[in-house]
Amino acid sequence: MTKRACGFVIFRRIRGMIEYLLMQVSYGEHHWTPPKGHVDPGESDMETALRETEEEAGLSASDLNIFENVKHELNYHVNGKPKVVVYWLAELLDPEKPIRLSHEHQAFKWLSLEEACAVAKYQDMQNAYICDANVGDHDKMKNNNYCLDYTNVSLYVEYAYELFANIYYDPFVKRKMFRKHNFNL
Ligand SMILES: Nc1ncnc2c1ncn2[C@@H]1O[C@H](COP(=O)(O)OP(=O)(O)OP(=O)(O)OP(=O)(O)OC[C@H]2O[C@@H](n3cnc4c(N)ncnc43)[C@H](O)[C@@H]2O)[C@@H](O)[C@H]1O
């Protein structure tokens, strides 16, 4: 059976910058992820996203401006089993609001788009960040259905991804390369 999890790509505006919240899990390979978790029986996707965000980051619905039309669905396999993860874009209204971690996470960071893409090592997650950041001003997205269909934006996303992730074509090794970063994470 397909596992289903839901959460939010949370951003804040601070000192003229947009930063994204990523949290590092305290188990397994200690990967970085936005707040999210498994859908409990009888829960809607949005209820799950809100419950998990409250549990994992200490942020409630009243702390967020949720962009219900800006939604990403990621499909991947965990231990050979299919998993679907749904993320909505949400803005943290008070950028200074403290994050309260649960035992499931050991650290959190507010990261620029470029840093978030470097830390979220999976391409579909990186695409979600790029898509959220590059469809224009975050305010304009509120009334539009952006990013729902990846196929329509895939080329644009790929270009934007390469631009922001600082990927370039190296003719010597004949493949695309990451520029080196030191994000000190
Ligand atoms: N290894 C472990 N050891 C001990 N307890 C564990 C555990 N894994 C899970 N748990 C328990 O499960 C609970 C988590 O439940 P929830 O909190 O309800 O669910 P989740 O965020 O979806 O969990 P998870 O971290 O497993 O999911 P993700 O898809 O990011 O990550 C799952 C895998 O998919 C990979 N992944 C993440 N995003 C991906 C993507 N976009 N594409 C491909 N793979 C991806 C990750 O690297 C990771 O390997 C924790 O409380 C913990 O107790």
Side-chain angles (χ1 to χ4, degrees):
M1 205 175 114
T2 302
K3 281 193 173 180
R4 191 171 185 86
C6 302
F8 294 110
V9 169
I10 297 177
F11 73 94
R12 68 175 183 179
R13 296 167 213 253
I14 190 160
R15 292 180 284 277
M17 303 276 290
I18 286 181
E19 296 177 339
Y20 296 86
L21 175 64
L22 273 118
M23 307 193 310
Q24 186 179 32
V25 303
S26 49
Y27 49 83
E29 59 198 43
H30 303 285
H31 61 286
W32 291 79
T33 169
K36 64 138 179 11
H38 293 119
V39 178
D40 282 346
E43 252 183 351
S44 70
D45 286 355
M46 183 59 81
E47 284 167 348
T48 301
L50 288 167
R51 175 180 56 73
E52 290 284 349
T53 301
E54 172 94 56
E55 289 173 8
E56 295 185 349
L59 302 176
S60 61
S62 61
D63 295 315
L64 302 171
N65 179 20
I66 297 166
F67 294 73
E68 290 196 37
N69 295 326
V70 187
K71 185 178 172 186
H72 303 277
E73 185 177 302
L74 276 56
N75 292 272
Y76 51 92
H77 285 75
V78 179
N79 298 327
K81 293 187 181 145
K83 180 168 182 178
V84 177
V85 183
V86 173
Y87 289 110
W88 283 274
L89 182 66
E91 178 173 9
L92 181 61
L93 295 171
D94 173 5
E96 305 284 0
K97 170 99 184 174
I99 301 302
R100 189 197 65 225
L101 293 182
S102 72
H103 68 281
E104 286 186 34
H105 295 91
Q106 61 186 35
F108 75 89
K109 296 250 180 197
W110 285 104
L111 299 171
S112 69
L113 172 65
E114 191 181 35
E115 291 166 329
C117 285
V119 169
K121 58 183 182 177
Y122 300 103
Q123 173 106 42
D124 51 2
M125 194 66 236
Q126 293 166 339
N127 287 351
Y129 284 118
I130 302 269
C131 194
D132 282 349
N134 285 281
V135 289
D137 188 284
H138 283 74
D139 291 329
K140 286 184 194 154
M141 288 192 282
K142 209 170 173 190
N143 299 316
N144 293 287
N145 284 312
Y146 284 106
C147 305
L148 293 178
D149 183 355
Y150 267 66
T151 54
N152 286 345
V153 293
S154 59
L155 278 178
Y156 175 69
V157 165
E158 191 178 327
Y159 169 73
Y161 167 73
E162 292 185 1
L163 198 65
F164 278 84
N166 243 329
I167 288 175
Y168 66 99
Y169 183 77
D170 187 329
F172 189 66
V173 291
K174 294 191 177 149
R175 63 188 176 92
K176 289 178 181 175
M177 306 285 288
F178 267 105
R179 286 192 207 290
K180 287 206 167 62
H181 293 284
N182 180 12
F183 293 129
N184 204 22
L185 292 168

